[in-house]
Amino acid sequence: MPRADRSPGEFYQLDIEMSFVTQEDVFEAVEPVLRDVFEEFGGGKPVTPKFPMIPYRESMLKYGVDKPDLRNPIVIADVTAEFSRDDVTFNAFKNVIKSGGVVRAIPAPGAGKQPRSFFDKLNDWARGEGAPGLGYVIFEGEGDALTGKGPIAKFLPAAAQQAIVAKAGLKPAMRCSLPATNPTKPPSSPAPRASASATNSAFAKKTCSSSAGRRLPDV
């Protein structure tokens, strides 16, 4: 059985003879074929009209993986600047930043209502992956007046919290996971983003969505 995270092109060989072509030429030739396959065998599900072109670095930043499932609405944000503020006193992250690391924010819709054991399991998973832990803040309130709570919220003044809310597009009852890591070390899996979407699974199985990843250096 084919794995669910792979496209039909990875299981059925399509030979194309092309000379003196660019990367864009290959995409333009192959994309219509893949789109037609999804339209014919997708069971009536809508298919992405034009596959988005996602540079490798952008994909790793926003989705934590180079083959993202775009049906998942979770987008990771870089909040290194917010944790570098002078009024932020969370030294655990500041020390990571000083050593060249970064801080990412992963919004998790609805996760704010989860029990403490839910967060403890995620923290244990992060430690198993070699991280010192996985910080988080739960945002509550109405409209734009959101207030954070949780183990590290007290180290974040209101202005810093609002900056994180704006950067990560947070809404009430959202949990914001905050891993701090070395940007040169790629994640071993897309699990952080996938686990964040587990509490908001409405996106699943409703669309056929594909993207083309560029592995060439971004210029």
Side-chain angles (χ1 to χ4, degrees), residues 10-24:
E10 293 180 270
F11 293 92
Y12 304 96
Q13 181 172 325
L14 177 63
D15 293 329
I16 301 176
E17 294 187 9
M18 306 176 74
S19 299
F20 307 106
V21 296
T22 65
Q23 180 177 236
E24 285 69 22

Side-chain angles (χ1 to χ4, degrees), residues 3 5-7 10 23 27 52-70 76 185-193 209-216 218:
R3 281 172 43 182
D5 63 344
R6 296 203 174 161
S7 66
E10 293 180 270
Q23 180 177 236
F27 287 148
M53 309 294 287
I54 306 175
Y56 175 79
R57 291 193 185 103
E58 178 184 342
S59 182
M60 295 302 292
L61 168 62
K62 289 185 175 181
Y63 311 111
V65 68
D66 62 352
K67 54 178 189 299
D69 183 346
L70 298 183
I76 301 170
K185 180 182 179 182
S188 58
S189 74
R193 180 170 171 261
S209 178
S210 292
S211 62
R214 296 174 179 268
R215 289 185 173 274
L216 296 179
D218 300 352

Side-chain angles (χ1 to χ4, degrees), residues 70-156:
L70 298 183
R71 297 172 300 174
N72 183 340
I74 303 299
V75 177
I76 301 170
D78 188 328
V79 291
T80 305
E82 284 69 23
F83 275 87
S84 299
R85 295 167 52 117
D86 292 336
D87 55 354
V88 172
T89 58
F90 192 53
N91 291 328
F93 279 8
K94 283 202 164 186
N95 291 334
V96 171
I97 295 171
K98 289 179 181 178
S99 64
V102 296
V103 183
R104 308 295 198 208
I106 309 174
K113 300 178 182 178
Q114 295 294 322
R116 176 63 182 268
S117 59
F118 176 84
F119 306 110
D120 290 340
K121 289 178 181 178
L122 280 179
N123 195 41
D124 291 341
W125 171 84
R127 289 174 177 170
E129 293 291 309
L134 184 66
Y136 69 88
V137 177
I138 298 173
F139 286 93
E140 297 179 341
E142 297 293 337
D144 296 329
L146 300 184
T147 302
K149 70 175 186 177
I152 69 174
K154 61 183 179 182
F155 300 102
L156 301 169

Side-chain angles (χ1 to χ4, degrees), residues 26-56:
V26 176
F27 287 148
E28 288 295 326
V30 174
E31 181 179 321
V33 178
L34 291 178
R35 187 184 302 107
D36 287 347
V37 170
F38 282 118
E39 288 177 344
E40 183 169 351
F41 300 103
K45 298 175 184 177
V47 181
T48 306
K50 177 66 178 177
F51 295 172
M53 309 294 287
I54 306 175
Y56 175 79

